[in-house]
Amino acid sequence: MSVDADLLMFLGVLLVAGMFPIMVGSFSRGDSPRTAIVFGFLGGSLIVAAIAMTPGGYEFNEIPGLMVRVVRDAFN
């Protein structure tokens, strides 16, 4: 089974995006932002792995099309 770099990038971006509301919620409750840190670390690791697997890496303007393509491929 091969892991697709686009899927890794997609999951990494979702985890990093999910980190921000968790961080805000933990700070507003006065809790430690441990879960947000874990989300950020895992998401960042997936993004770095996807960039390393892709020859030439990704450009920032490719990310929206990549997200749409991964979701479209999941439903086909």
Side-chain angles (χ1 to χ4, degrees):
M1 179 175 127
S2 68
V3 178
D4 187 22
D6 290 349
L7 180 61
L8 290 179
M9 179 64 81
F10 177 81
L11 293 174
V13 168
L14 285 183
L15 284 174
V16 169
M19 172 189 73
F20 292 107
I22 294 171
M23 187 179 299
V24 169
S26 65
F27 282 133
S28 68
R29 289 188 308 273
D31 295 338
S32 174
R34 286 186 206 116
T35 306
I37 291 169
V38 170
F39 270 52
F41 178 75
L42 291 175
S45 298
L46 289 173
I47 291 170
V48 168
I51 291 171
M53 291 173 62
T54 304
Y58 289 98
E59 291 188 20
F60 187 73
N61 60 356
E62 293 178 62
I63 302 301
L66 176 139
M67 303 292 276
V68 170
R69 188 171 57 246
V70 169
V71 171
R72 184 190 64 216
D73 291 346
F75 288 108
N76 284 338

